[in-house]
Structures are given as structure tokens and as C-alpha cells.
Amino acid sequence: MEPLSAPVNLLILTSREDAAESIITTLRNGGLAVRGMHADDPQQIEDLTSSHAFELILCCEFDERIDLDSMMTLYGELELDVPLIIIADPQTDSRALIGAMRNGARDLAEQGDSEHLQLVVARELADLKQRRIAKRLRARLQDCEERARRAMNDSGEAAAFVQEGMHVQVNPAYQRLFRFSSEEELDGYPLLDLIDPEQHDDLRQCMRRLDQIGENGTGKIAIRCVRADTSRFEARIDLARSRLDGEPCLRIKITEK
């Protein structure tokens, strides 16, 4: 295995320091850069998890002072985004281990099976890394979406977000252009209802071309629009694929000719 770039912190649930040290040595021998702390008292475990950032919890079920059910209950109460792996006595009743898996344990390895433990730990650390990357990306996406909303609302150009053919957000300039009394009136309002019926097919074809281009597709079309008071005007619609609240949508901008 390739060594990790930085040591990861383990919390080992055991009363035995020698057992904790043996586990750390086993993982290091497998190419994993780890360091760890151990505890078996619930209050001590709570204190450690509140004051330290752990990447993995290893529960030594083989330790006679570790009650697996109690530890799994405590683990659930802590609500940590930290995977827990059970290291079990080979003689343990499988029903108890299955129950622990149902209560949140990610996997288990038998005591003494070093290679299996190394593989399980490496996999869980890799999964945790990807989950944390995804969490950061979601936060960045939400920030980008919020900035896009603010920019759209502050813009003097008529702009809107459309999902499945319905308006989900419009800016004040869009509302004024179509002469609606409020932006809320356009929530859930069909986009095609603002387009001259004779040109519905033209707009649909433009949107189909966007689907073929893919995620970053953009397009534009000259079209005749219909206001709330049924008056008509010639315009250009610019369309682009976008996302709103994590869901795909169309971002449209309408410029009156």
C-alpha cells in the first residue's frame, strides 16, 4: 500500500494499552500512517471525541471490558461522521456483530487477521476522505448558487431560473419586463405561457439542442414574448444549463429588442 501523506488519528475503544499499540503497529506495517488514543470509559470517550478530531474508531469487541451494545449506543449518540470498525473475537456470536452493523458499524475484522484489518481500515479512510471532499464541494456549490442568486437579483437584465419548464426564481427586472405585479406570481408559472404559441416549437428545439450539448450547454433564440397583459414584444432569449439548490435547471436571460 502507498503510505498516506499525513498521519490519521484513531480512537481505539479498549481498556488495554498493549492491544491499542498492537493495532497501531499492525496498521503501520500495512503502510498506513496512523497514530491513536485509547479509552474504554464512556465519559472519557465523549471528552476525547469533543476535543480531538478522529478519522476512525476501532472497537475492540474482544476486550472483556468492552460491552459492544453499550459502545454502539454511545457511538450513535455522539453522531460523528467517523466510521467505526469492530475488531471481534473469532468466537463471538455472529448475531451480536450483525446487530452492531445494523446500528452503524461500517465493518468488522477478526482479532489476529492483520491483512483484513489493514484492508478494511484503508478502504474506510479512503471513503471518509471522499465524503469530506464531497461535503466541501457541496458547500462551495451552495455558496456559488447563493452568489448567483444575489447577482441575478441585483442585475438590471431580466433573468430567471427554470426547472422542468416552470419558473422557480425570477429577478425584479424579469417581473417588470413581463408586467407581473410581483415576483411571486411567476413561481411555478410555465415558461411557454410567456412565449407566443406560434414559436413554442422553436423554443423546444432550442432546449433539445441544449440537452444534446450537455452540462455546459448554452444557446440563444430570437422569439416573440407575451406579457401578463397579453401584449407582445420581440426579444432574444439566452439559455444556459445551471444548477439551483443542487438540482439541474435552465438559467435564462431575456433581452427586449
Side-chain angles (χ1 to χ4, degrees), residues 8-14 20 23-24 35-41 44-50 52-60 74-75 78 80 82-85:
V8 296
N9 295 316
L10 309 177
L11 176 57
I12 303 173
L13 306 183
T14 181
I23 290 168
I24 291 170
R35 56 192 175 198
M37 305 177 74
H38 76 282
D40 67 317
D41 176 73
Q44 186 183 11
I45 293 168
E46 287 189 44
D47 292 342
L48 285 173
T49 55
S50 64
H52 295 76
F54 294 105
E55 280 77 40
L56 191 67
I57 299 174
L58 298 171
C59 181
C60 297
L74 176 60
Y75 176 68
L78 293 173
L80 302 171
V82 179
L84 182 146
I85 296 169

Side-chain angles (χ1 to χ4, degrees), residues 87-116:
I87 304 176
D89 185 321
Q91 304 304 315
T92 297
D93 188 335
S94 63
R95 287 174 296 182
L97 299 177
I98 291 171
M101 296 282 287
R102 286 180 176 146
N103 287 325
R106 296 279 294 184
D107 208 341
L108 60 90
E110 287 189 356
Q111 182 186 14
D113 192 343
S114 300
E115 186 175 4
H116 187 202

Side-chain angles (χ1 to χ4, degrees), residues 36-211:
M37 305 177 74
H38 76 282
D40 67 317
D41 176 73
Q43 186 58 56
Q44 186 183 11
I45 293 168
E46 287 189 44
D47 292 342
L48 285 173
T49 55
S50 64
S51 59
H52 295 76
F54 294 105
E55 280 77 40
L56 191 67
I57 299 174
L58 298 171
C59 181
C60 297
E61 182 277 336
F62 62 83
D63 185 336
E64 62 278 2
R65 291 187 57 180
I66 294 295
D67 182 80
L68 184 58
D69 288 341
S70 297
M71 287 300 169
M72 293 309 303
T73 298
L74 176 60
Y75 176 68
E77 292 171 349
L78 293 173
E79 296 183 342
L80 302 171
D81 183 20
V82 179
L84 182 146
I85 296 169
I86 299 168
I87 304 176
D89 185 321
Q91 304 304 315
T92 297
D93 188 335
S94 63
R95 287 174 296 182
L97 299 177
I98 291 171
M101 296 282 287
R102 286 180 176 146
N103 287 325
R106 296 279 294 184
D107 208 341
L108 60 90
E110 287 189 356
Q111 182 186 14
D113 192 343
S114 300
E115 186 175 4
H116 187 202
L117 179 62
Q118 291 164 357
L119 291 171
V120 168
V121 168
R123 183 200 66 210
E124 289 303 322
L125 291 175
D127 286 352
L128 178 64
K129 180 179 179 181
Q130 292 304 312
R131 287 200 304 275
R132 290 181 172 177
I133 290 172
K135 184 178 180 180
R136 290 196 296 271
L137 290 175
R138 284 194 298 270
R140 288 173 59 186
L141 176 60
Q142 290 170 357
D143 181 62
C144 289
E145 288 177 350
E146 183 57 33
R147 285 190 281 113
R149 283 192 182 100
R150 290 198 299 268
M152 186 180 82
N153 286 332
D154 294 341
S155 172
E157 297 178 314
F161 288 110
V162 173
Q163 286 180 337
E164 297 181 355
M166 304 292 184
H167 294 84
V168 290
Q169 186 174 343
V170 305
N171 70 353
Y174 194 95
Q175 170 235 317
R176 291 192 299 270
L177 177 64
F178 284 98
R179 298 179 182 170
F180 282 80
S181 58
S182 70
E183 295 165 41
E184 288 71 23
E185 278 192 85
L186 281 156
D187 287 346
Y189 199 91
L191 174 61
L192 286 177
D193 283 4
L194 300 181
I195 306 299
D196 189 307
E198 292 183 0
Q199 292 192 288
H200 283 185
D201 286 344
D202 296 335
L203 182 58
R204 290 192 184 101
Q205 288 176 17
C206 182
M207 294 168 72
R208 280 196 289 269
R209 286 194 295 270
L210 275 184
D211 289 337

